[in-house]
Amino acid sequence: MHLVCLDLEGVLLPEFWIAVAERTGIPELRRTTREEPDYDVLMRYRLDLLDRHNLTLPAIHEAIADLEPLPGAWELTQWLLAHTRLIILSDTFLAFARPMMAKLGHPTLFCHDLVVDGKGRVLDYQLRQQDQKRRAVEAFRALNFFVIAAGDSYNDLSMLRAADRAILFRPTEKFAGDNADLPVARTHAELQAGIAQYF
């Protein structure tokens, strides 16, 4: 029994925070897990920026509302949903990602939550659990699933290493070099082919 676990941003959708940075003119929000592997450090940095610039959740929703799946992502998710089980494991937040799931055919999403006040100010974030991607993969394997995982950055590494098979998707040169034992897919068609070989 196969199960595929994919990261969301950078694999199926553009990076939400980069879109917010471009829309709001706050370039510091472009920083992602590709540059900062410590998720808590990154999120504290982002929360401070939101507070300093009075950027609310509605403004973030407006900034990402027009995002569309990456070219080939829709076709990949539809193929996966038709041929196996698909779980999206993301370090994003439900408040950001829920509206986007319809654009991908409503795959199952495991992610985190934001703490937002009545005025839409983002006060904090709540992890679903520490290292949730790895722990989800380990749980699926314990349920006797053969898990194939794909991700693009450092916060995906524990998930990739916990899976039965792993594929790097469009990694940076450094990330690929640091994990040279893992195959790399540069397009969604290559990723589909890489996954299909394990069926």
Side-chain angles (χ1 to χ4, degrees):
M1 288 191 253
H2 297 88
L3 186 150
V4 174
C5 294
L6 298 180
D7 180 36
L8 181 63
E9 296 174 79
V11 176
L12 299 175
L13 290 169
E15 295 280 351
F16 295 157
W17 289 102
I18 291 175
V20 174
E22 291 173 355
R23 186 73 177 260
T24 61
I26 306 171
E28 296 90 347
L29 285 173
R30 293 183 62 84
R31 190 177 180 97
T32 71
T33 52
R34 284 178 173 242
E35 295 82 31
E36 175 52 70
D38 187 318
Y39 189 71
D40 186 62
V41 168
L42 179 61
M43 279 308 303
R44 296 293 161 206
Y45 172 79
R46 288 169 170 167
L47 291 172
D48 180 62
L49 285 170
L50 296 182
D51 186 56
R52 279 195 280 140
H53 292 276
N54 297 311
L55 197 61
T56 63
L57 184 59
I60 294 170
H61 280 156
E62 184 178 333
I64 65 175
D66 295 335
L67 291 182
E68 293 295 331
L70 295 170
W74 166 261
E75 292 80 4
L76 174 65
T77 56
Q78 298 317 291
W79 179 82
L80 288 168
L81 290 169
H83 290 88
T84 189
R85 298 156 191 89
L86 171 61
I87 306 288
I88 307 300
L89 298 177
S90 177
D91 281 327
T92 192
F93 303 97
L94 192 59
F96 294 178
R98 180 183 282 147
M100 302 294 169
M101 290 301 98
K103 297 180 180 186
L104 293 169
H106 297 286
T108 299
L109 170 68
F110 293 172
C111 63
H112 307 299
D113 285 313
L114 292 173
V115 178
V116 182
D117 72 11
K119 296 180 180 178
R121 290 177 59 241
V122 181
L123 304 177
D124 205 352
Y125 73 98
Q126 293 178 324
L127 295 181
R128 193 173 59 78
Q129 76 180 160
Q130 288 287 341
D131 204 5
Q132 63 109 5
K133 294 182 181 188
R134 174 186 59 82
R135 293 173 78 172
V137 167
E138 290 173 346
F140 296 141
R141 291 187 69 195
L143 292 170
N144 204 30
F145 286 108
F146 182 93
V147 178
I148 306 157
D152 71 323
S153 62
Y154 288 99
N155 68 321
D156 299 317
L157 190 55
S158 66
M159 167 182 77
L160 297 172
R161 293 297 179 188
D164 292 289
R165 298 292 182 270
I167 302 169
L168 300 178
F169 185 71
R170 294 181 186 162
T172 63
E173 187 174 322
K174 180 178 182 346
F175 189 49
D178 290 345
N179 298 279
D181 60 310
L182 297 178
V184 172
R186 296 288 176 190
T187 67
H188 289 91
E190 287 180 11
L191 183 55
Q192 179 176 322
I195 292 168
Q197 69 180 310
Y198 300 119
F199 286 9

